[in-house]
Amino acid sequence: MCGIFGYTGKKEAMDILTNGLAQLEYRGYDSAGICMVNDDHNLYIIKAVGRVMELKNKTNWIKLTWYTTGIGHTRWATHGSVTENNCHPHTSSDARFAVVHNGIIENHSELKMILEDQGYVFYSETDTEVVVKLFEYLFNGDNLRALRKLTSVIEWAYALVFIDREKPSMLFGAKLGSPLVIGKNKENAWYVSSDYKSLIGLVDEYITLEDGDIFCIENGECKIINRWVEFIRDKEHIIETEQIMELWDFPHFMLKEIYEQGQVLRNVFAGRIDFKTKTINNITLNEVVTQGFERVHIIASGTSYHAGCLGRQYLENLANLPTEVSVSTEFKYGTQFIDKKTLYIFVSQSGETADSLESMKVVKEKWGYTFGIINVPGSSIARLAHAWLFTHAGTEVWVASSKAFTAQIATFLILALAFGQKRNLENTKFISILTDMEKLPARIEKLLQTSDQIRLIAEKYAPYLNFFYLGRSYELPIAMEGSLKLKELTYRHSEAYSSGELKHGPLALIDANFPSIIVNGSWPLYSKNLSSVQEIKSRGGKVIGVIADNDVNKNLYDDFLIFESSLRETEVFSETVILQLFAYHMADVLGRDIDKPRNLAKSVTVE
Ligand code: G6P
């Protein structure tokens, strides 16, 4: 979702801005633009619909001098279609100020009417143009004063960064809801970005802005008001030198991230499970399992919601903890029954998903205990939660999620086992699961070697337009996630159902052109799933089985994708990887833009 990148220093800003925007591409966007200011008080704007590469192509022939301050933006359209007119940065009527914005100004229509009454004319359909025109209206010579007035009028959410033609070494802005970080290097160059990872290699230190912060960088100094503290005193983090955006030999980030999952599992287990002594030990886990919670409520969106659905199965089956799961997009607007005996778990890869963040605030306001399962320490959800577990998946560059899901479900398994130990989980079961978990990373790595076989099946089914993904119990969330991967990557229609529900309606759609993928490992509902397979077959439908290597009914399926049989709790990891590869290969066969699927954003920072 929209990305912001700003720079002020001694170098030409144009390449710095376009390279910065390229680092934010993973967030998802449909157009991009930059605006720079030079010492002669000129503003220079370049915009392009499509990829940052198209923006870069436009800049190739432009030679600028002394444009050493600027702002850039990748836009994911919310207000107004994908056109250069709607693309940021947006400018004031007198072209003195330019702004980039991430978020949604909810009261922009009212504000626009007021400004129109004052004679302002709008060239775009965006809420952001309203912001810069309102700023112009409120401006009386003092940028920060106008910014304070502006932020008292506009209704969130926003991360805003402005430049001023008359003050060519100034970047200023505000944050409420949407993320924004400011970084600085030893040469006293300053950067502003939606994501600290885009600053790796550019800055030596950075600060994450808090909601309500207003900042102003001018002549090499940064002031953050609201709390009126100097940046230097406030600096928080030393940037790691980790190189994250390398594809190595992989054709797509998605494939690379799928292949990282063995190592991701090792990272999730490290420091929490001692496989030698067969114990779980971790300070955060110890604290959360000893607080006497009697119920769990998991809240998340997208892939993280699917991880929560499997988390529920683990917590109920292994820890005997009644668990509810809500999509965060619905939770905030329903009636919430918050109590002290419930553990509220928020699952989020980015830690910035607005719906999850807002839901968390609601729970906290009502004194509920919030717990994050997150992949980005320092993210908004991590900062707001009472406690959190880090999923150690590493940065996910690809828009749709893969390794983050695996890390989330592994974290849920550990959490459920830790709770189980405190409650009534049999020790033999506990030990057998831990014993099997130790083998899991190597098992996943072995499974990845069957990628070519999965590709053959994906090729065969690529011409089909509709798919059912079926499973039950532990395997239903895996089917749901597999179906989401297919939608996101191939733009094929797919629906996930409990295989038991098939006969209550969806079966009417089955014919020879509507294949079903059934996730059917070697566990309790195996025979029930076989009945569903028979129901589909007898209506002329094709069935692809995601099945264990010891399955004796392989020839019931039109095609099958095989994994090594193990425990019910761990087979789901293998099934996940198979469905990720199936979606990946089909998308590749269909020539889709795998790492940047159309219309999608990695980090959804608007409600
Ligand atoms: C977006 C992404 C999904 C992700 C969802 C929730 O829609 O495209 O991949 O699952 O947001 O994101 P979160 O960061 O909260 O896990």
Side-chain angles (χ1 to χ4, degrees):
M1 187 147 286
C2 304
I4 287 178
F5 200 86
Y7 169 79
T8 182
K10 294 200 168 54
K11 295 184 179 161
E12 289 297 339
M14 189 165 68
D15 288 350
I16 294 174
L17 294 175
T18 52
N19 291 336
L21 292 182
Q23 297 291 314
L24 297 172
E25 281 192 295
Y26 74 92
R27 296 168 70 83
Y29 68 102
D30 38 51
S31 51
I34 53 176
C35 179
M36 295 146 297
V37 56
N38 73 357
D39 288 348
D40 293 331
H41 308 289
N42 299 308
L43 280 191
Y44 201 103
I45 298 183
I46 314 161
K47 298 182 179 185
V49 166
R51 299 292 174 213
V52 171
M53 187 46 75
E54 277 144 67
L55 183 72
K56 279 193 174 182
N57 290 341
K58 280 192 171 181
T59 63
N60 280 344
W61 56 270
I62 300 171
K63 290 278 162 284
L64 297 178
T65 46
W66 302 116
Y67 282 81
T68 54
T69 296
I71 48 179
H73 189 262
T74 48
R75 173 174 187 253
W76 188 76
T78 56
H79 292 70
S81 48
V82 183
T83 61
E84 280 193 19
N85 237 14
N86 288 330
C87 184
H88 303 209
H90 286 290
T91 49
S92 55
S93 316
D94 58 1
R96 170 168 176 176
F97 304 105
V99 72
V100 286
H101 167 218
N102 175 9
I104 288 178
I105 304 301
E106 296 200 337
N107 59 343
H108 74 279
S109 307
E110 298 95 291
L111 295 170
K112 188 173 182 179
M113 277 192 282
I114 296 168
L115 289 167
E116 278 169 341
D117 285 346
Q118 298 297 320
Y120 282 88
V121 177
F122 290 82
Y123 59 81
S124 79
E125 302 157 85
T126 63
D127 50 345
T128 307
E129 194 193 347
V130 177
V131 171
V132 69
K133 299 238 150 103
L134 183 60
F135 181 84
E136 178 181 14
Y137 176 65
L138 298 170
F139 182 73
N140 61 357
D142 183 334
N143 299 60
L144 281 187
R145 187 165 296 168
L147 193 56
R148 290 193 108 167
K149 280 194 209 156
L150 177 84
T151 53
S152 67
V153 179
I154 55 175
E155 282 170 15
W156 76 295
Y158 52 79
L160 295 167
V161 185
F162 288 81
I163 51 175
D164 178 351
R165 198 183 55 196
E166 298 307 321
K167 295 175 183 164
S169 66
M170 181 190 268
L171 281 179
F172 60 106
K175 175 235 176 331
L176 184 66
S178 306
L180 207 56
V181 296
I182 299 176
K184 177 192 146 182
N185 65 22
K186 294 193 177 78
E187 288 148 20
N188 213 18
W190 290 81
Y191 294 80
V192 182
S193 177
S194 301
D195 184 350
Y196 85 92
K197 291 188 291 295
S198 66
L199 302 182
I200 292 172
L202 297 174
V203 306
D204 303 302
E205 57 196 49
Y206 73 94
I207 181 169
T208 307
L209 293 187
E210 299 286 351
D211 277 350
D213 279 352
I214 288 173
F215 73 91
C216 181
I217 303 164
E218 192 178 15
N219 299 323
E221 292 293 317
C222 175
K223 185 163 272 186
I224 299 170
I225 57 173
N226 204 356
R227 297 167 290 153
W228 290 101
V229 288
E230 297 295 325
F231 172 74
I232 286 308
R233 210 160 54 73
D234 229 359
K235 74 186 173 199
E236 283 181 349
H237 302 282
I238 303 299
I239 289 261
E240 319 121 48
T241 50
E242 171 196 24
Q243 287 302 316
I244 50 165
M245 303 295 189
E246 292 293 334
L247 257 179
W248 304 113
D249 286 335
F250 289 94
H252 299 101
F253 279 111
M254 179 187 177
L255 195 61
K256 176 175 177 250
E257 288 166 11
I258 290 173
Y259 270 74
E260 283 168 5
Q261 291 179 110
Q263 188 53 42
V264 165
L265 285 169
R266 287 186 192 95
N267 297 346
V268 179
F269 299 157
R272 289 162 185 166
I273 303 176
D274 184 337
F275 286 114
K276 280 207 188 82
T277 57
K278 298 281 179 291
T279 49
I280 293 183
N281 209 349
N282 169 277
I283 296 170
T284 311
L285 279 169
N286 292 346
E287 268 176 28
V288 75
V289 301
T290 49
Q291 289 195 38
F293 292 114
E294 290 172 2
R295 284 171 298 280
V296 176
H297 195 149
I298 301 167
I299 298 146
S301 275
T303 290
S304 299
Y305 168 73
H306 296 154
C309 293
L310 182 59
R312 172 188 167 202
Q313 299 282 349
Y314 284 149
L315 287 160
E316 293 193 336
N317 285 298
L318 301 174
N320 202 25
L321 267 171
T323 303
E324 193 180 341
V325 196
S326 299
V327 276
S328 50
T329 36
E330 290 298 320
F331 176 82
K332 188 185 163 194
Y333 298 100
T335 308
Q336 304 97 16
F337 302 95
I338 309 296
D339 66 83
K340 292 225 154 78
K341 290 287 174 199
T342 301
L343 171 66
Y344 296 90
I345 301 182
F346 292 82
V347 194
S348 179
Q349 188 285 128
S350 64
E352 302 294 347
T353 300
D355 295 300
S356 303
L357 190 59
E358 288 312 300
S359 301
M360 185 180 244
K361 288 179 189 163
V362 169
V363 173
K364 278 193 91 173
E365 273 160 22
K366 297 186 175 177
W367 305 104
Y369 185 88
T370 57
F371 188 81
I373 292 189
I374 52 108
N375 196 39
V376 183
S379 61
S380 302
I381 290 184
R383 291 149 79 91
L384 203 66
H386 288 105
W388 48 269
L389 275 179
F390 181 33
T391 49
H392 292 286
T395 303
E396 256 192 350
V397 180
W398 169 52
V399 165
S401 196
S402 58
K403 60 178 180 171
F405 177 78
T406 295
Q408 287 166 344
I409 61 176
T411 307
F412 266 119
L413 181 52
I414 298 172
L415 183 68
L417 287 168
F419 265 117
Q421 252 196 327
K422 283 274 168 293
R423 295 167 69 88
N424 57 358
L425 179 64
E426 283 170 28
N427 199 43
T428 45
K429 183 151 189 184
F430 177 84
I431 300 288
S432 75
I433 295 174
L434 278 195
T435 307
D436 197 54
M437 284 168 82
E438 190 174 8
K439 299 178 196 149
L440 199 47
R443 188 181 297 143
I444 294 298
E445 278 156 1
K446 194 168 153 212
L447 177 65
L448 288 165
Q449 291 166 15
T450 65
S451 178
D452 289 348
Q453 285 139 261
I454 298 171
R455 187 177 180 95
L456 290 178
I457 310 289
E459 261 168 2
K460 180 172 167 187
Y461 285 88
Y464 291 86
L465 301 179
N466 301 292
F467 293 84
F468 275 137
Y469 275 70
L470 307 170
R472 288 184 89 156
S473 181
Y474 278 41
E475 288 162 334
L476 178 56
I478 305 305
M480 289 156 67
E481 175 58 11
S483 167
L484 183 68
K485 288 300 86 126
L486 196 83
K487 283 189 193 85
E488 289 175 316
L489 292 178
T490 66
Y491 318 147
R492 291 299 195 229
H493 169 238
S494 69
E495 285 190 66
Y497 272 101
S498 157
S499 22
E501 276 295 301
L502 201 61
K503 55 187 176 295
H504 297 297
L507 207 51
L509 293 173
I510 291 290
D511 63 21
N513 295 317
F514 203 130
S516 303
I517 297 167
I518 189 157
V519 191
N520 194 17
S522 39
W523 293 91
L525 292 158
Y526 172 78
S527 308
K528 299 264 182 223
N529 277 332
L530 283 189
S531 306
S532 303
V533 175
Q534 301 282 13
E535 284 163 14
I536 299 168
K537 299 284 305 171
S538 49
R539 281 150 186 92
K542 295 189 172 54
V543 185
I544 307 168
V546 178
I547 55 174
D549 50 3
N550 59 0
D551 192 317
V552 290
N553 290 298
K554 291 189 184 80
N555 46 18
L556 204 62
Y557 299 96
D558 294 278
D559 290 285
F560 49 81
L561 301 163
I562 284 205
F563 56 86
E564 184 186 328
S565 90
S566 58
L567 297 182
R568 190 184 181 199
E569 285 74 16
T570 49
E571 281 191 350
V572 287
F573 289 85
S574 305
E575 293 163 349
T576 297
V577 171
I578 286 179
L579 293 183
Q580 290 168 347
L581 283 170
F582 182 74
Y584 168 81
H585 285 305
M586 194 185 287
D588 198 33
V589 169
L590 293 169
R592 304 295 192 232
D593 190 353
I594 293 182
D595 285 334
K596 298 175 198 111
R598 69 183 183 199
N599 305 339
L600 298 180
K602 178 82 187 154
S603 179
V604 182
T605 49
V606 295
E607 274 192 64

